[in-house]
Amino acid sequence: MATPKFIAPSTSFYSELKARTNAYFTEAGSHPTGNYTLYIKAAVLLTGMVLLYLHLVFFTPPAWLAVLECILMGGVTAAIGFNIMHDGGHGSFSKKKWVNEWAGLTLNVLGANIHMWTTKHNIIHHTYTNIDGVDDDLDAKPFLRLCENQEHLKIHRYQHFYFWGAYAMLYLYWIFFTDYVKYFTQKVGDIPLKKMTRKDHLSFWGFKVVHFVLFVVVPIYTVGFLPWLVGFLIYGMFTGLVLSIVFQLAHTVEHAHFPMPTQTTNRIEDEWALHQLKTTANFATKNKVVSWLTGGLNFQIEHHLFPRISHVHYPAISEIIKKTCAEFGVTYHEYPKTRTAILSHIAHLRQLALQPVQAA
């Protein structure tokens, strides 16, 4: 599928939104990138990851504690992705380019690859959000049907029950399979990757080896194969579950749209900013614990409209965006609690489980 185009802005909505947001930073005397609160959080998460790894691998805790620590390490891994890698990958972690690059490389240490992720997430997902056939985040076939344009298989009748298991496999599937598919095909779906330099190739293979040694070879040597296998599966599956749930609550819920381009023009009949608001939802934005752990990804609307602003500023600019949306008559999707968003996601999956494929 060729990448679609958006119609030219017919209103001053996004221009006004940008002007008001820029004015906020000018008046506050702050920079859109991260600040000391983010750096403290990054230090806490990275320290926690190192300590958990060292205790599990070299101090052999009793089985019950090891299980709890594997689950906790999975949560910390997801939090590093949400808070450090994600802002770094968008260039919003720091004003300094090299700091953003180092923050993004945390993804490589944890088994994935920042080069692949930048094309998949920054370029494709953020531009063509919820457009089936282009946005790779909607491609969970054959296991899940995430929008009405996708083929309905018999297995999908039960997807609102088994999706937890599918989500739990995301991280392991990502680092051990889909990264390699992207590397060898040099594509994300049908869209070519940004051309890899020699440095990118060396980084891909070098960090894959580092991850394999740290998370497979060394633990097997110190604790044995079976304890490693059980622990690694617990760790990897909890990481995948947390990553999946947070991202799915942003786009695959009842009120989110899944527009398709007009066949004759290959055009989305919305300007880009309005498309982002129709395809994106927030959740639990008043919950400071959720906001801290998810790196502000519960403020997904703010993130999609301003991806180069660090998540530490989302609570403040969300009020600006809400007010502007109200003035321009633009719907702002938000679920008050995490559980209401999860229930909406399950309802969305259930509707698609029972609904036949939409006619072209």
Side-chain angles (χ1 to χ4, degrees):
M1 179 178 178
T3 53
K5 307 296 182 183
F6 296 92
I7 65 171
S10 58
T11 70
S12 58
F13 169 69
Y14 193 45
S15 297
E16 182 65 22
L17 203 54
K18 288 190 289 185
R20 293 182 183 185
T21 302
N22 290 335
Y24 161 77
F25 286 105
T26 300
E27 293 169 8
S30 61
H31 196 273
T33 55
N35 54 30
Y36 75 95
T37 61
L38 176 55
Y39 307 144
I40 292 172
K41 189 196 317 191
V44 169
L45 291 173
L46 291 173
T47 301
M49 183 70 183
V50 171
L51 292 177
L52 284 167
Y53 175 87
L54 292 175
H55 193 249
L56 278 166
V57 173
F58 296 107
F59 292 89
T60 317
W64 67 269
L65 181 56
V67 169
L68 292 178
E69 289 187 354
C70 286
I71 293 171
L72 182 57
M73 193 165 76
V76 172
T77 296
I80 289 172
F82 296 148
N83 290 277
I84 303 173
M85 181 282 294
H86 190 256
D87 272 27
H90 279 289
S92 64
F93 187 85
S94 168
K95 289 184 284 187
K96 298 182 183 297
K97 182 180 178 181
W98 69 269
V99 176
N100 287 318
E101 290 176 349
W102 277 89
L105 283 175
T106 57
L107 182 65
N108 291 32
V109 177
L110 295 173
N113 182 264
I114 190 65
H115 182 87
M116 311 294 172
W117 182 88
T118 299
T119 300
K120 171 184 168 66
H121 183 80
N122 290 13
I123 298 173
I124 300 173
H125 172 67
H126 270 268
T127 306
Y128 308 106
T129 312
N130 277 15
I131 301 176
D132 184 42
V134 184
D135 185 358
D136 192 60
D137 284 4
L138 287 180
D139 184 7
K141 59 179 181 288
F143 307 108
L144 296 168
R145 183 182 186 225
L146 296 178
C147 73
E148 60 187 7
N149 301 295
Q150 294 176 344
E151 182 182 7
H152 188 287
L153 304 176
K154 289 183 179 180
I155 190 176
H156 296 151
R157 290 180 294 179
Y158 309 103
Q159 67 176 9
H160 49 300
F161 297 115
Y162 68 72
F163 74 95
W164 301 102
Y167 289 172
M169 297 307 298
L170 167 76
Y171 175 65
L172 299 175
Y173 188 65
W174 178 6
I175 64 175
F176 290 124
F177 182 72
T178 59
D179 257 3
Y180 293 100
V181 171
K182 293 178 179 66
Y183 181 85
F184 287 111
T185 63
Q186 288 295 293
K187 291 181 179 180
V188 177
D190 293 327
I191 299 177
L193 281 171
K194 180 182 176 182
K195 185 174 177 60
M196 296 181 72
T197 64
R198 182 181 180 184
K199 179 181 177 182
D200 293 326
H201 287 287
L202 290 173
S203 178
F204 179 88
W205 289 108
F207 277 106
K208 287 293 185 183
V209 170
V210 168
H211 176 265
F212 188 78
V213 170
L214 287 176
F215 287 85
V216 180
V217 176
V218 173
I220 290 176
Y221 178 78
T222 57
V223 303
F225 178 79
L226 188 58
W228 163 78
L229 180 62
V230 173
F232 187 73
L233 287 176
I234 292 171
Y235 158 72
M237 292 174 72
F238 190 72
T239 302
L241 183 62
V242 174
L243 290 171
S244 297
I245 288 294
V246 169
F247 283 113
Q248 295 290 33
L249 299 189
H251 301 292
T252 53
V253 287
E254 292 172 288
H255 297 93
H257 289 216
F258 298 86
M260 292 296 288
T262 304
Q263 289 187 352
T264 54
T265 63
N266 195 34
R267 189 174 71 174
I268 297 293
E269 297 303 321
D270 262 320
E271 59 180 275
W272 177 83
L274 294 179
H275 173 82
Q276 296 305 316
L277 281 152
K278 288 182 177 180
T279 57
T280 307
N282 286 359
F283 66 94
T285 56
K286 302 299 182 184
N287 189 319
K288 292 184 178 181
V289 174
V290 171
S291 297
W292 194 92
L293 291 172
T294 63
L297 290 178
N298 53 331
F299 288 88
Q300 193 75 196
I301 290 172
E302 288 67 30
H303 174 59
H304 267 255
L305 290 172
F306 298 104
R308 292 188 66 83
I309 293 178
S310 173
H311 73 266
V312 297
H313 304 291
Y314 292 165
I317 68 171
S318 69
E319 298 304 319
I320 297 170
I321 295 173
K322 283 182 186 178
K323 182 179 179 182
T324 308
C325 285
E327 291 178 12
F328 281 80
V330 176
T331 302
Y332 183 100
H333 299 300
E334 184 169 21
Y335 295 92
K337 298 181 183 298
T338 302
R339 65 174 176 270
T340 56
I342 291 175
L343 289 173
S344 181
H345 176 60
I346 294 173
H348 173 73
L349 291 178
R350 184 176 185 276
Q351 182 182 15
L352 291 170
L354 303 175
Q355 181 186 72
V357 67
Q358 187 182 60

